[in-house]
């Protein structure tokens, strides 16, 4: 059976599994009235949370980033993991006690202000759409490869499918579907990793394989460093960016995670506070399985890719792969336009090296190489291409495609639902058109969803960065606007509505300004005012890392403005005190 | 109170006639003081009153039926609602029978005005008379009293029609033909439409209208003087 | 009293419950009326004597608010408020706001009491406060025996209110329809001279004209029913009723010899059915043992059949039937107290579920619980209340209100607790909405105090409302739970039917038709912190509170009425056929028109559910 048919079958099978579970779960609930449905076990809930959490960015992009950026990309791992812990331990319990399950609701009530609520809604919409862009990118990559189309067409197909998936929407809420998605996803991610790790190091655990010795006795990472430095690339395991940038970047990711709407809700769907805590713990375990595998997948993929093209010692003519003899996966990815080869020196062989490294470029010229001939290697293809590069069986490759789609679709659908409700209910029904009919509300949500998909799709075609970086931008925006408002709302009773609104606007505005300065206004290429290089950055801080600075500006301006204006009303101050005193949760678990 | 007002106030006339008059139902009426014009309108008792007559000329035409009920302040009581037919001394003209539906044979079995009037006067004692276009009621009553007891009738009178005219004046609205009819006036206050031309129903209708008119006054405090036409 | 007060008497006579009084009684009560005019914007609260008199609105409109300033009711012409009309304990701190200039007829409290003593119909309508008064009042039923009220002795002539609306046979369908809508009648007689030719009803216009797409300009004779049965004006009302029930018709032409004299509709007979419920309730209070109570409650199915035959709205049928259970419960509690002695601590007997919502139809299970004062000491008083609960629940079971399969009854110790424990229950359910808790909330969030100390109940309800209002996490769980009952409508607007088993090829009118609406209404109510328990009331209040649009609430109300009505008809049909009443309806039992209408109704529910799930992101 050829790969494409098999991919169709596997993807089809997993999706019918999700839909089947959805139907089963729904039918199962309309039973006897007095027989209450069973509660979901914390472990199962942890899995569902992990599935919500892991998006295309985690599944598709993170390993790709690690593969090409090496050590520096570890900040994504740290930032997201840290963000998750922050959310689960610090924010969710307090929001829960407040009885609000979306951030705008909390902010609207805590700051007794419709304006504050509206600003929060807008911040969330901006952050969520940016996050969806990342998902769309992943979906585009997956579909273009899976249907063997070019990337743009793949993206259009993906947009249509996301729209229907999200409109049918109901599936989102069913825990067992989420669990199935997690299982497919984690299976698809780890199985190829195990195979590759076995091939390269003989150790079945990729996490350990990363630090094990390869067949020739050299440790894997040493070998990788050696291989790519031979081709003029920077050392894989060394830190390249500034430390300050790293720290801020990590912090932006961490605190940005806090405000994202689709994950917070997960914590409130668990009825008991105790269970919510233990499922948060379990979710961390399940997330860790993927996150700890990612560095191995990235490193091994890089090694395999390089070794496939550069089959022998650098400089020997026969050590470079002949283009005519290129493997099938190479041809397939060429069709998507995400992998491009240009025979610059006309020798019919592929030279893949770092021609930006002046030292190595000279050496390369002496070999008769006229520049890097792999003109485009999209980082987001790495996870999907990895099993093919490692020559794993077809069913594994098909499985990875299914896993990538599951990750991207579930997160995209969840976010789009959140965006559409924010627009139809929080903006239209609650503020602008309170008399809108119920049918109108449903219609508005659908139109909003289509609009969000169109915007995200457009930006997915002209992305401001790789999927993971796009997502990082979203986190940066959320970090600068929402997180400070939440924290101050919970921990500082003195912050009033004027302060909070000012803070959010300052945070969001400064971050957007900084990003647009380097990335172009509204990410439109060519409109940037300064070139996006480290030298031009303020203190060497990348736009993606500015969220943490934005948050600080937010904190500062909110505190100052609140000091200068009247304190919040009595009952709000009492409320803030009450949230932090742990009587509600404690009493509730007693009996 | 100026001396002039004192001399000609109806309260003085009441005292005057009370002293002059031989005992009669009218004198009994005069023995009870009139409601004080300075008192809040809610402290005053009113008698909503209406007649059906054979015509509009108090000297020629006769009272055919009398209907009344009391209003204590802002509350109209149906417990006192009374409807009495009187026997006219002449034949009921056809055109008026069309209006009120009282036929000769019914009327002929009724009591005479002499028998009926004491009831009315007893009910009126200490109250302000209230009617829509009260001139008719006032003059017919006064005329009847003169004829039967030899003395005229005086008393405090509140006229819903006059009140309504004041409303029109204060809003500077022109009064159109028919605007001041009882039914049309009531309609403007959202009061239900009643069958007209039964003395009691009309009396109740006028009473309800009065309550509506007072309730709709803008002034903070309303005293009887503000409402009465004869005081 | 003066007969000239016709206007006022006629007004009274055309409004329930005064329509139940004889002319003489009406005349004699007129003298007690005081008339008052309330200007728009006026407030009346208990300081102004709101509860010292009973007010009947002659014209205008008044809103009633509670002390949280929530709108409780908007009253219009013919509605009553004040003493005993706003009797329900939750409305003691009521405040009336006059929203249009209003003319009211006012009955002072002692007059009302005196009237009620004399007229059991008034007494029933103006249900009294607390069991004590109820017992006193009920003993009057039957003593007087207002014979003319009884269906057995009323003549048709007493029931006909207006001359018949007639059309000549030459008229077209359109002209007839115009006439019917102008005259606001649901049926019209076709007469030649004074002789009856046929009858046309709304249903005919629907089924024979609109549904078939008939030309409106055809003569009316095309669609009229010709061989109509008639009643004679001198017949007894019950004969007419029998005839209607037998033929399953709702309109009966009345003739006087050869001449057409009028039209008797099922609605005209309605009030007599409420009367029969009044008598049932009255009878219940006269019984001294379970056996005789059992006998009376065995008549409930007949009551349902009668109500269905009379085209009573499902909403009022629910109220009527529930009043029977309420009375049974109260009587059983009285009997238990006679046996066990006075209660050692105050208590409140609470009805839950459909009884609380006043939405019972055919007999259903009992859902109830016992709320005790905090001075309750299990060691000292446990025995008493256990026996009380046992007595009442057993009694109800014997009367056909079977034990709740979920054990949500006062005999279960868990549901027989002092106030502080109940508060903890509610706190826990709200803070930890597990599936089990959510199932319980569907029963215990619809509570009504049937008997006992209302203050106890009030403080429990206050606690519950404070916990719920604005607690979106809990509401989201409720909403999620509500989504488990979806209307039986497939993707292609087809009915989704039960396959196999006992109820093959049917759908469940209760769980898939009514429960979804009840659930929606409950969530709206909890979100807005409204007191109402009855679903229709809840929807009305929710629309006023902005929780749902007016249009949405109206659609849901209509849908609920329609579906409940179908259910009552269905159950009445089963009872007539000598079967046990259930909720499983086959689409084949419906006309094409009804089927389409039902699909529309279900899709309304589906839309509203989708909005809710979108809002709560589930």
């Amino acid at each position: 059976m050829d790969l494409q048919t098999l991919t169709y079958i596997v993807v089809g099978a997993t999706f019918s599994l999700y839909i089947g579970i959805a139907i089963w779960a729904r039918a199962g609930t309309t039973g006897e009235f007095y027989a209450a449905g069973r509660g979901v076990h914390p472990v199962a809930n942890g899995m569902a949370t992990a599935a919500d959490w892991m998006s295309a960015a985690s599944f598709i992009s993170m390993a790709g980033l690690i593969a090409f950026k090496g050590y520096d990309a570890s900040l994504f791992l740290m930032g997201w993991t840290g963000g998750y812990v922050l959310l689960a331990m610090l924010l969710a319990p307090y929001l829960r006690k407040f009885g609000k399950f979306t951030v705008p609701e909390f902010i609207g009530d805590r700051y007794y202000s419709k304006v504050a609520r509206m600003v929060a809604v807008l911040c969330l919409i901006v952050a969520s759409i940016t996050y969806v862009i990342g998902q769309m990118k992943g979906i585009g990559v997956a579909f273009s490869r899976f249907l063997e189309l070019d990337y743009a067409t793949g993206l259009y197909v993906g947009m249509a499918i996301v729209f229907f998936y999200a409109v049918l929407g109901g599936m989102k809420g069913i825990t067992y579907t989420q669990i199935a998605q997690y299982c497919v996803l984690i299976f698809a991610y780890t199985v190829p990793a195990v195979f590759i790790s076995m091939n390269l190091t003989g150790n079945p655990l990729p996490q350990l394989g990363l630090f094990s010795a390869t067949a020739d006795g050299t440790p894997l990472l040493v070998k990788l460093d050696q291989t790519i430095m031979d081709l003029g690339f920077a050392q894989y395991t060394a830190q390249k960016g500034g430390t300050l940038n790293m720290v801020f970047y990590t912090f932006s990711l961490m605190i940005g995670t806090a405000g994202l709407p689709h994950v917070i809700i997960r914590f409130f769907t668990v009825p008991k506070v105790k269970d919510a805590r233990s499922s948060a713990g379990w979710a961390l375990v399940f997330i860790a399985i993927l996150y700890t595998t990612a560095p191995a997948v990235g490193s091994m993929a890089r090694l395999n890719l390089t070794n496939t093209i550069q089959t022998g010692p650098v400089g020997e003519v026969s050590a470079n792969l002949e283009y005519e003899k290129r493997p099938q996966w190479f041809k397939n990815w060429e069709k998507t336009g995400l992998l491009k080869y240009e025979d610059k020196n006309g020798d019919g062989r592929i030279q893949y090296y770092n021609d930006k490294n002046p030292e190595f470029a000279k050496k390369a010229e002496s070999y008769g190489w006229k520049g890097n001939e792999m003109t485009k290697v999209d980082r987001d293809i790495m996870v999907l291409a990895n099993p093919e590069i490692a020559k794993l069986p077809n069913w594994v490759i098909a499985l990875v495609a299914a896993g990538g789609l599951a990750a991207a679709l579930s997160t995209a659908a969840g976010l789009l639902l959140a965006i559409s409700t924010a627009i139809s209910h929080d903006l239209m029904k609650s503020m602008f058109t309170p008399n809108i009919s119920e049918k109108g509300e449903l219609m508005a949500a659908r139109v909003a969803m289509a609009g969000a998909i169109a915007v995200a799709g457009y930006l997915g075609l002209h992305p401001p960065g790789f999927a993971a970086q796009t997502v990082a931008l979203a986190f940066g925006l959320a970090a600068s606007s929402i997180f400070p408002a939440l924290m101050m709302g919970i921990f500082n009773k003195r912050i009033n509505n004027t302060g909070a609104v000012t803070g959010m606007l300052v945070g969001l505005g400064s971050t957007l300004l900084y990003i647009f300065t380097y990335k172009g206004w509204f990410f439109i290429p060519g409109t940037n005012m300064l070139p996006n290089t480290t030298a031009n950055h303020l203190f060497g801080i990348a736009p993606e890392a500015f969220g943490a600075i934005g948050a600080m500006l937010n904190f500062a301006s909110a505190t100052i403005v609140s000091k200068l204006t009247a304190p919040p009303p009595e009952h709000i101050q009492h409320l803030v005190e009450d949230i932090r005193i742990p009587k509600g949760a404690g009493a509730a678990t007693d009996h | 109170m100026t001396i002039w007002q004192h001399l000609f106030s109806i309260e003085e006339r009441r005292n005057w006639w009370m002293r002059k008059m031989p005992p009669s139902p009218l004198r009994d009426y005069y023995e009870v003081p009139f409601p004080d014009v300075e008192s809040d309108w809610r402290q005053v008792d009113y008698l909503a009153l209406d007649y059906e007559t054979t015509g509009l000329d108090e000297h020629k035409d006769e009272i055919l039926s009398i209907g009344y009920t009391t209003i204590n302040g802002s509350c109209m009581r149906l417990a006192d609602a009374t409807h009495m037919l009187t026997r006219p001394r002449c034949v009921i003209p056809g055109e008026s029978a069309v209006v009120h539906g009282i036929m000769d044979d019914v009327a002929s079995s009724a009591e005479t005005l002499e028998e009926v009037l004491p009831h009315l006067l007893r009910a009126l004692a200490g109250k302000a008379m209230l009617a829509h276009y009260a001139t008719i009621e006032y003059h017919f009553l006064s005329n009847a009293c003169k004829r039967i007891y030899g003395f005229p009738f005086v008393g405090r009178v509140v006229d819903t029609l006059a009140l309504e005219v004041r409303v029109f004046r204060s809003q500077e609205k022109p009064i159109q033909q028919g605007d001041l009819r009882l039914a049309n006036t009531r309609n403007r206050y959202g009061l239900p439409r009643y069958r007209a031309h039964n003395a009691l129903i009309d009396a109740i209708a006028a009473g309800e209208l009065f309550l509506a008119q007072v309730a709709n006054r803008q002034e903070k405090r309303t005293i009887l003087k503000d409402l009465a036409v004869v005081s | 009293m003066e007969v000239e007060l016709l206007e006022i008497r006629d007004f009274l006579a055309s409004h329930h419950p005064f329509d139940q009084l004889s002319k003489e009684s009406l005349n004699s009560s007129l003298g007690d009326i005081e008339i008052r005019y309330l200007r728009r914007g006026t407030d009346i609260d208990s300081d102004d004597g709101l509860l010292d008199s009973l007010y009947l609105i002659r014209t205008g409109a008044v809103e009633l608010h509670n002390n949280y300033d929530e709108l409780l009711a908007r009253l219009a012409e013919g509605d009553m408020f004040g003493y005993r009309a706003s009797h329900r304990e939750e409305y003691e701190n009521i405040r009336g706001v006059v929203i249009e200039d209003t003319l009211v007829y006012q009955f002072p409290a002692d007059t009302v009491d005196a009237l009620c003593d004399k007229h059991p119909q008034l007494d029933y309508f103006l249900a009294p406060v607390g069991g004590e008064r109820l017992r006193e009042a009920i003993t009057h039923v039957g003593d007087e025996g207002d014979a003319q009220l009884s269906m057995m002795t009323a003549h048709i002539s007493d029931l006909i209110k207006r001359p018949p609306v007639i059309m000549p046979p030459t008229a077209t369908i359109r002209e007839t329809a115009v006439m019917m809508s102008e005259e606001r009648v649901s049926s019209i007689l076709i007469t030649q001279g004074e002789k009856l030719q046929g009858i046309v009803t709304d249903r005919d216009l629907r089924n024979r004209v609109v549904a078939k797409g008939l030309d409106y300009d055809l003569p009316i004779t095309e669609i009229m029913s010709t061989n109509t049965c008639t009643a004679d004006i001198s017949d007894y009302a019950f004969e007419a009723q029998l005839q209607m029930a037998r033929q399953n018709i709702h309109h009966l032409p009345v003739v006087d010899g050869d001449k057409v004299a009028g039209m008797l509709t099922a609605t005209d007979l309605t009030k007599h059915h409420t009367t029969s419920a009044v008598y049932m309730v009255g009878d219940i209070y006269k019984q001294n043992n379970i056996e005789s109570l059992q006998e009376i409650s065995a008549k409930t199915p007949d009551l349902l059949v009668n109500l269905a035959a009379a085209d009573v709205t499902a909403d009022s049928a629910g109220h009527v039937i529930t009043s029977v259970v309420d009375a049974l419960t109260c009587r059983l509690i009285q009997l238990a107290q006679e046996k066990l002695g006075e209660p050692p601590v105050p208590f409140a007997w609470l009805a839950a579920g459909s009884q609380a919502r006043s939405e019972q139809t055919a007999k259903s299970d009992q859902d109830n619980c016992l709320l005790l004062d905090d001075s309750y000491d299990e060691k000292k008083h446990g025995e008493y209340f256990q026996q009380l609960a046992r007595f009442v629940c057993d009694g109800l079971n014997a009367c056909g209100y079977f034990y709740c399969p979920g054990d949500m009854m006062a005999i279960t110790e868990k549901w027989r607790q002092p106030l502080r424990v109940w508060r903890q229950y509610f706190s826990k359910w709200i803070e930890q909405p597990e599936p089990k808790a959510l199932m319980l909330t569907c029963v215990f969030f619809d509570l009504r105090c049937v008997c006992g100390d209302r203050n106890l109940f009030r403080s429990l309800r206050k606690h519950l409302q404070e916990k719920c209002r604005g607690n979106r996490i809990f509401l989201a769980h409720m909403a999620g739970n509500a989504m488990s009952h979806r209307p039986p409508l497939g993707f292609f607007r087809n009915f989704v039917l039960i396959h196999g088993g006992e109820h093959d090829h049917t759908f469940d009118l209760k769980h898939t038709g009514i429960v979804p609406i009840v659930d929606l209404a409950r969530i709206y109510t909890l979100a807005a912190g409204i007191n109402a328990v009855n679903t229709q009331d809840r929807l009305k209040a929710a629309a006023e509170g902005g929780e749902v649009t007016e249009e949405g609430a109206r659609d849901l109300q209509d849908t609920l009425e329609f579906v409940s009505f179908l259910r009552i008809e269905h159950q009445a049909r089963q009872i007539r056929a000598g079967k046990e009443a259930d909720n499983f309806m086959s689409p084949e039992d419906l006309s094409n028109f009804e089927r389409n209408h039902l699909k529309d109704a279900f899709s309304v529910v589906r839309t509203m559910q989708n909005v809710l799930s979108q809002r709560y992101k589930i």
Side-chain angles (χ1 to χ4, degrees), chain C residues 311-367:
Chain C
D311 255 355
V312 177
T313 63
D315 184 38
S316 36
H319 278 98
V320 169
I321 291 178
T322 308
S323 69
V324 175
V325 201
D326 283 0
L328 265 176
T329 314
C330 284
R331 184 61 191 154
L332 283 166
I333 292 172
Q334 287 168 1
L335 290 177
Q337 287 190 16
E338 278 168 25
K339 206 173 100 182
L340 302 168
E342 286 303 303
V345 297
F347 74 95
W349 184 278
L350 308 183
S354 62
Q355 191 190 345
R357 293 193 303 270
S358 303
E359 284 164 16
Q360 288 201 327
T361 53
K363 288 190 179 177
S364 37
D365 301 334
Q366 46 172 309
D367 289 321

Side-chain angles (χ1 to χ4, degrees), chain A residues 98 109-110 112 568-578:
Chain A
F98 207 80
D109 281 15
R110 162 62 182 83
Y112 47 95
E570 277 294 291
H571 70 274
I572 297 285
Q573 300 198 28
H574 285 308
L575 201 63
V576 176
E577 281 166 4
D578 286 348

Side-chain angles (χ1 to χ4, degrees), chain C residues 407-436:
Chain C
D407 281 336
M408 290 175 213
M409 294 173 293
I411 31 170
T412 315
E413 200 192 344
K414 194 173 177 195
W415 309 131
R416 191 178 68 239
Q417 293 292 341
L419 180 60
R420 55 171 188 279
V421 178
W422 274 105
R423 282 191 201 200
Q424 282 169 12
Y425 286 169
F426 279 105
S427 300
K428 189 181 159 197
W429 293 334
I430 292 166
E431 277 160 16
Q432 302 186 24
E434 299 167 86
K436 170 92 175 155

